[in-house]
Structures are given as C-alpha cells and as structure tokens.
C-alpha cells in the first residue's frame, strides 16, 4: 500500500535563511541510511522530504533505518496520488480509507494543506468536502474534530499525498551540522549515551578509549568497539582511538597518593584526549559524567579535571539521574553490552577511599612527582595508539 514516506522535521524549520543547509544535510543523511536497503529516491520539496521506495522493499527495515536519523521529527507512510483533480483525488482518498481501515467504525478528522493558493478549494474547503464524501461513502464513520481516533491528512502539491499514520522520529539536528567533538568512550553505561545525546544536536563524533593490558582484556576492548558500532547507527562512522594507558597508570600509582589516583589519572586522560581532539579538528571533548554519581564526578572533581583542558568539555548527562541514563541506554540498545562483565582501566585502578573534594593546589603538587617521565610516556602512548574505524 505504501510506496513512499513523507519526512517531517521540526527544529530545522526555524533556521531562517540557512535552513537549506540543514535540509540538505538531513536529505543526505536519509539517503545514507537507506543506501544499503534498495534503490530509494529521496527528494526535497517545500519544507518536506519525500522518500519513494523501490517496487520491492522491507517496510519495517526502512522505518527502523529512518528512526536512527537525527533531524527527523515524524515519519509518515504515504500513498501518492498522481493527480490534483478533485474527483479522482476524492476517489483515491476513499480507496485509501477502504484499504487501510477494514473496520470503519471509528471517529476521524480531515486535515489538508495545499501548496498552490490558486487551487480551486482552500484547505478548510478540502477538509469539509473530503469529509462529506467519506461520510457518504462510509456512513459508519463519524466526525470528531476534537479527539478523533484517526486523522486523515491530504496534501495537495504538484501531486497529492494522503496519510493517517505518524511514526515518531528521533528529533534533533542532522549529524555534521554542528562541528565535531571527541568522546571519551569507556565500557560503561554513561559514555555511549553521552555520545548519542551530543550527536543528536548535530555533532560529528570521534572517540578515544583508554586500554590497560594486561589488567584489562581484549574482550574489554572489543566491548568498547561493539558499543561504538551500536551508537554509530545514529552518529555515523566513528574513528576510535585506542590508547594503551597501562604504563602511565602504573607510574601514577607508584608516584602519587592513592586517594588521588582517580583524579590524576582522569586529568591525564583529558590531556591525551584533548591532544588527539586538536589533531582531528574537534571543537570540544564529550564525557558521560553526571554530578555526584561517583567520587570523580563531584563538582570539586569535575573542576579539577576541567583545569587541564583548553577545549570546552561537554557533559550532556550532567544533571541526569542514573535511571534516566539507563532508560536511554536501553532505548538505543547499548545497555546490555555496557553491563557485560569486562572491566575498564578506571575500575581496575580505583582507590579504596578516593578523595571527593580534591584541592587543585594539592593535585598539582602531587603531579610534580611525575614530571621526570610523564611527558615522554604520553607521547609514546599517542604515537602507538591503535585506530579503529567503526561503522
């Protein structure tokens, strides 16, 4: 029945004179999402994007692909009517209702739009006359303009479109319209959700993962690669930088007070991530931190890690409860992978009694004991990093 989809956007519509940039980006993202599913035709027309499907296509698979494209507010399966002439149009809309709703015992409301203001009927007249036609053809149907069971929408353009089903899209902005940032990706629940949330605002994502063999296994690294694959469904391809952090962690463990280990290790992760971000043209760092969730995420601790960065640090989950984050992880299908029992480097080296209100003066003093070798270790870790392209 459905050989096309009408794509509606929301926020893009208020972009003014540069709206076309966002529309074109959304069109291109849609093309990319269905590229491997068949020969789809994606076109843009007057605030709408249309997808015409091949003769044989998988409806569910297509909808699933479109629901991962940021910028889509609504997905409407439509029947295309190759005329705007009134008599064949009314007949076609009636045939649509006949086929779509075998049981006609429901309330409905007609809604209409016309792109040509010279069309013989105004939008209210289209609604009134089309509704009257449907009531004559299907007398068991009833009109309810306030709380209808079904809304039947007719759009009259250079041809006509009819639909009554609206599938919600993910919203947001098309990926690539708001620059690029570097995600600190661990094997936990939070950071994949943070990457998803920031990509929803149109940001392209690169990622860095800190690996600590032999204390963390290859399965732990593979878990992170798998998480990157899951979020790449939404973000597009991800360049994942894998940093061997073992030597640096052991050196910090040897030289610094144990209650400060987490903060100092985190500060060096941020330093390394920022260096990679600058090389990659990223405009900021992204973390999955949430205030007070663990010792390294108190306001004092966050201020301490922020101090080493020149780039802005974006924390989209900063005020989220843990359950809020879990709910999103379950929705985007990362939760089950995140809870696999493979430790990351942070949990392996965590102190028994970590400081929760670190003093920057004390932390800086502790880091002075690292000055002899730490810069060379950082350089070696960056030079020897592994790059995994995930999509």
């Amino acid at each position: 029945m459905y050989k096309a989809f009408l794509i509606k956007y929301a926020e893009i519509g208020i972009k003014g004179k540069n709206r076309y940039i966002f529309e074109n980006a959304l069109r291109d993202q849609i093309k990319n999402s269905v590229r491997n599913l068949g020969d789809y035709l994606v076109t843009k027309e007057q605030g709408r994007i249309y997808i015409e499907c091949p003769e044989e296509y998988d409806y569910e698979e297509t909808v699933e692909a479109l629901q991962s494209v940021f910028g889509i507010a609504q997905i409407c399966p439509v029947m295309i009517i190759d005329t705007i002439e009134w008599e064949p149009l009314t007949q076609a809309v009636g045939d649509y209702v006949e086929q779509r709703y075998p049981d006609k015992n429901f309330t409905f409301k007609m809604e209409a739009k016309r792109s040509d203001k010279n069309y013989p009927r105004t939008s209210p007249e289209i609604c009134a006359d089309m509704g009257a036609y449907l009531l004559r053809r299907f007398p068991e149907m009833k009109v309810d303009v306030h709380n209808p069971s079904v809304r039947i929408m007719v759009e009259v353009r250079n041809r006509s479109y009819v639909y009554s089903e609206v599938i919600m899209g993910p919203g947001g902005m098309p990926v690539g319209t708001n620059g690029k940032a570097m995600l600190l990706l661990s094997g936990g629940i939070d950071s994949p959700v943070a990457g998803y949330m920031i990509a929803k605002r149109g940001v392209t994502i690169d990622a860095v993962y800190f690996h600590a063999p032999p204390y963390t296994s290859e399965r732990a690294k593979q878990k992170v690669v798998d998480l990157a694959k899951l979020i790449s469904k939404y973000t597009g391809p991800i360049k994942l930088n894998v940093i061997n952090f073992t030597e640096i962690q052991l050196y910090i463990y040897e030289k610094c007070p144990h209650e400060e280990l987490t903060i100092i290790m985190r500060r060096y992760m941020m330093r390394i991530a920022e260096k990679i971000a600058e090389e990659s043209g990223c405009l900021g760092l992204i973390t999955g931190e949430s205030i007070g969730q663990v010792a390294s995420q108190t306001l004092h601790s966050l201020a301490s890690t922020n101090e080493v960065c020149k780039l802005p640090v974006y924390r989209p989950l900063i005020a989220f409860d843990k359950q809020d984050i879990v709910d999103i992880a379950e929705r985007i299908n990362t939760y089950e992978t995140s809870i696999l029992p493979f430790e990351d480097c942070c949990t392996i080296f965590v102190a028994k009694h970590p400081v929760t209100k670190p003093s920057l003066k004390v932390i800086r003093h502790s880091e002075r004991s690292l000055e002899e070798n730490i810069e060379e270790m950082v350089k070696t870790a960056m030079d020897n990093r592994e790059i995994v392209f995930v999509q």
Side-chain angles (χ1 to χ4, degrees):
M1 181 179 185
Y2 298 117
K3 294 298 182 184
F5 293 90
L6 164 62
I7 301 300
K8 296 183 180 181
Y9 51 72
E11 198 171 343
I12 292 173
I14 63 173
K15 288 300 177 183
K17 292 182 179 179
N18 63 350
R19 187 173 78 178
Y20 75 95
I21 297 172
F22 296 87
E23 290 176 332
N24 291 344
L26 178 57
R27 180 194 59 199
D28 293 343
Q29 293 286 338
I30 291 170
K31 286 180 179 179
N32 188 61
S33 73
V34 298
R35 181 183 56 195
N36 297 324
L37 304 182
D39 187 18
Y40 293 76
L41 177 63
V42 183
T43 57
K44 182 183 75 169
E45 177 187 329
Q46 296 176 328
R48 293 284 192 266
I49 293 176
Y50 296 98
I51 306 169
E52 295 187 41
C53 306
E55 191 64 29
E56 298 292 332
Y57 79 103
D58 188 308
Y59 175 87
E60 298 294 338
E61 191 176 42
T62 302
V63 170
E64 182 181 356
L66 294 174
Q67 285 183 308
S68 69
V69 178
F70 291 133
I72 293 179
Q74 296 179 340
I75 305 161
C76 305
V78 298
M79 187 173 79
I80 299 175
I81 303 165
D82 286 319
T83 183
I84 60 173
E85 296 296 324
W86 184 250
E87 293 301 327
L89 173 58
T90 54
Q91 177 69 39
V93 172
D95 292 346
Y96 168 85
V97 173
E98 178 81 55
Q99 186 177 356
R100 178 67 180 82
Y101 300 101
D103 179 4
K104 307 298 186 298
N105 189 21
F106 61 84
T107 59
F108 77 101
K109 177 184 179 181
M110 285 300 309
E111 297 181 2
K113 286 188 176 182
R114 53 173 191 158
S115 61
D116 182 0
K117 301 309 177 185
N118 293 318
Y119 189 72
R121 285 175 169 82
T122 65
S123 296
E125 288 171 344
I126 293 172
C127 292
D129 293 348
M130 188 70 72
Y133 168 80
L134 293 176
L135 288 173
R136 290 194 300 271
R137 183 165 171 178
F138 309 113
E140 61 269 47
M141 291 170 54
K142 306 296 181 186
V143 172
D144 183 346
V145 297
H146 300 294
N147 189 30
S149 302
V150 175
R151 295 176 184 269
I152 301 172
M153 182 72 191
V154 175
E155 295 197 9
V156 179
R157 297 177 180 271
N158 57 340
R159 51 183 177 174
S160 304
Y161 304 85
V162 57
Y163 60 93
S164 58
E165 182 180 1
V166 175
I167 303 165
M168 297 308 296
M173 303 294 290
V175 172
T177 56
N178 273 315
K180 183 166 67 169
M182 179 66 66
L183 171 66
L184 280 78
L185 182 62
S186 72
I189 297 170
D190 303 338
S191 58
V193 174
Y196 166 87
M197 293 292 290
I198 210 82
K200 188 174 180 179
R201 301 307 307 155
V203 178
T204 301
I205 300 297
D206 278 357
V208 57
Y209 163 61
F210 293 91
H211 192 42
Y215 301 99
T216 53
S217 66
E218 284 299 307
R219 296 185 73 181
K221 183 174 80 172
Q222 186 58 47
K223 172 184 172 181
V224 173
V225 173
D226 292 342
L227 286 169
K229 287 180 180 177
L230 290 170
I231 62 172
S232 71
K233 172 184 175 183
Y234 302 94
T235 67
I238 294 174
K239 179 183 176 183
L240 175 63
N241 298 267
V242 181
I243 298 290
N244 187 326
F245 201 57
T246 308
E247 186 179 13
I248 295 171
Q249 283 189 295
L250 291 175
Y251 188 54
I252 294 171
Y253 189 84
E254 176 190 346
K255 296 287 187 179
C256 298
H258 282 198
E259 67 272 15
E260 298 170 9
L261 290 177
T262 302
I263 294 297
I264 294 175
M265 288 178 186
R266 188 71 176 170
R267 280 162 65 93
Y268 275 95
M269 287 180 179
M270 299 293 272
R271 287 178 170 110
I272 292 170
E274 184 175 63
K275 290 178 186 294
I276 299 172
E278 289 173 337
E279 288 178 3
S280 303
C282 293
L283 302 175
L285 304 179
I286 310 161
T287 76
E289 291 161 317
S290 171
I291 292 175
Q293 190 176 122
V294 293
S296 64
Q297 296 179 22
T298 65
L299 283 182
H300 299 77
S301 298
L302 294 176
S304 182
T305 54
N306 265 20
E307 193 225 8
V308 303
C309 298
K310 297 176 185 175
L311 290 177
V313 181
Y314 300 107
R315 297 180 171 96
L317 311 182
I318 195 67
F320 280 36
D321 292 337
K322 190 65 177 184
Q323 190 57 51
D324 297 332
I325 300 168
V326 168
D327 290 345
I328 298 173
E330 290 178 333
R331 191 174 78 239
I332 65 175
N333 200 34
T334 58
Y335 179 74
E336 293 300 327
T337 302
S338 290
I339 62 173
L340 291 174
F342 307 123
E343 301 284 7
D344 65 25
C345 63
C346 293
T347 54
I348 292 295
F349 286 90
V350 69
K352 288 185 179 180
H353 302 289
V355 62
T356 58
K357 296 181 179 180
S359 161
L360 275 173
K361 182 178 179 180
V362 172
I363 294 296
R364 292 189 199 112
H365 180 268
S366 297
E367 286 185 344
R368 291 194 191 107
S369 63
L370 305 172
E371 290 176 353
E372 183 178 353
N373 297 310
I374 194 70
E375 289 305 318
E376 186 60 33
M377 288 180 176
V378 167
K379 183 178 185 304
T380 299
M382 289 188 59
D383 290 345
N384 295 329
R385 70 184 183 265
E386 177 188 358
I387 297 177
V388 182
F389 291 96
V390 180
Q391 59 183 357

